[in-house]
Amino acid sequence: MNSNHCSKLLALLLATTLVVSAVGPAAAMSASASGAPDEKEVGTDVNSTFTITKPFSEYDTWTLNGTTELQDVTWTVQLFDQGGSKIDQKSYDGQSFDHALEKSDAYEVKVVVKGTVPEVSNFTYDPAQQLTLADLNQVREGGSSDPIDSWSFRPYTADSQEARDAIDSARDAIDTAESSGAGVSGAEDTLDNAVSAFDAENFGNAVDLADEAQSKAESSQQSSQQTQMLLYGGAGLLALVVIVGGALWYRSNQQDDYDKLR
């Protein structure tokens, strides 16, 4: 093989590599959310939209499955072309749905879920209770399923939120006091009782205990600061005494030397 032929072959291989690099792998299906809350009060309404891009990047036919823990739910599945025009729409009621998809001009699938936050049967402080806003799955022929994405949120009531805020404030006060060198064991014990009251859904008692824990932490920090100030003041006074004493001693010695010279 002559050098000219080798050069042409290398050039062809390089060109092929550049084309493959430029094209890259086909973009995979992805999902995003709009209006998905991180937390929501019990009894309030939720309206969230989930967008699935490139739904047929891997399979031409599959079923979109969705589930939620909201109540009084309506799902709306909307198909859009690449230009953003809606080409199909269908609605479902209930906490789950299945929507068959076949390859078409659809570039995006939007899933709108509307529902109400249900009552919570078991509140917990840590980890905080979570409810499923939406689980979206790709179900293929034969029943095999892959998750697309999942979203959840923390439900709360006015009472549970008040208790959580009080516990959070007490924890911040304890951390601040501890970082300043104050003793916080008593405050931490009271805070543990506040958390136990929260988990038992005795929110009023949880608030009272959290407030008590915060007061203990702040009092301990104040006492520690006063002690430090007294120590600093005592050290400063001692230093002043040493300086003044040294000055007097020096003057006395200087005076004695002067008298001897006379």
Side-chain angles (χ1 to χ4, degrees):
M1 183 180 295
N2 59 45
S3 59
N4 186 44
H5 186 71
C6 286
S7 299
K8 289 181 178 179
L9 181 59
L10 288 173
L12 179 60
L13 290 173
L14 179 60
T16 303
T17 301
L18 290 174
V19 169
V20 171
S21 299
V23 173
M29 177 173 62
S30 62
S32 60
S34 174
D38 293 324
E39 53 189 33
K40 197 73 175 177
E41 186 172 3
V42 170
T44 59
D45 295 332
V46 178
N47 186 343
S48 302
T49 301
F50 310 97
T51 302
I52 302 171
T53 305
K54 299 187 182 302
F56 302 107
S57 58
E58 296 184 57
Y59 303 98
D60 292 345
T61 302
W62 57 279
T63 297
L64 173 62
N65 165 261
T67 61
T68 183
E69 290 185 284
L70 297 175
Q71 290 182 333
D72 304 323
V73 182
T74 297
W75 303 87
T76 302
V77 181
Q78 303 170 332
L79 274 60
F80 295 83
D81 62 22
Q82 196 162 359
S85 299
K86 187 190 297 183
I87 57 178
D88 194 14
Q89 175 174 307
K90 189 171 183 180
S91 294
Y92 303 88
D93 292 329
Q95 290 185 305
S96 65
F97 77 94
D98 291 292
H99 182 88
L101 292 170
E102 293 185 3
K103 191 167 186 178
S104 61
D105 293 331
Y107 179 79
E108 285 185 346
V109 176
K110 290 190 176 182
V111 180
V112 181
V113 60
K114 297 180 180 179
T116 304
V117 181
E119 296 289 338
V120 178
S121 59
N122 182 28
F123 278 97
T124 56
Y125 176 75
D126 186 22
Q129 65 284 351
Q130 296 285 310
L131 290 178
T132 299
L133 176 62
D135 270 335
L136 298 181
N137 303 283
Q138 182 185 59
V139 183
R140 299 183 298 281
E141 186 176 355
S144 59
S145 175
D146 289 321
I148 298 174
D149 213 333
S150 179
W151 297 265
S152 60
F153 66 98
R154 179 179 67 84
Y156 66 88
T157 64
D159 290 340
S160 75
Q161 189 61 48
E162 182 185 9
R164 180 174 292 277
D165 290 342
I167 292 173
D168 290 343
S169 295
R171 170 51 59 192
D172 290 341
I174 289 172
D175 289 343
T176 300
E178 188 173 26
S179 65
S180 69
V184 294
S185 59
E188 285 183 328
D189 289 343
T190 305
L191 183 62
D192 288 342
N193 292 335
V195 172
S196 296
F198 184 100
D199 292 343
E201 299 188 19
N202 190 346
F203 299 126
N205 190 33
V207 171
D208 293 340
L209 288 167
D211 288 345
E212 181 182 345
Q214 182 170 349
S215 296
K216 286 182 178 180
E218 292 171 346
S219 177
S220 180
Q221 182 182 5
Q222 184 178 12
S223 177
S224 176
Q225 289 172 343
Q226 289 173 347
T227 300
Q228 289 177 357
M229 289 179 64
L230 289 173
L231 289 174
Y232 293 149
L237 180 60
L238 179 60
L240 181 61
V241 169
V242 170
I243 292 171
V244 172
L248 292 174
W249 176 83
Y250 179 78
R251 279 188 68 183
S252 176
N253 283 347
Q254 288 293 97
Q255 184 66 37
D256 289 344
D257 291 344
Y258 177 73
D259 289 341
K260 290 178 182 178
L261 289 174
R262 293 181 60 187

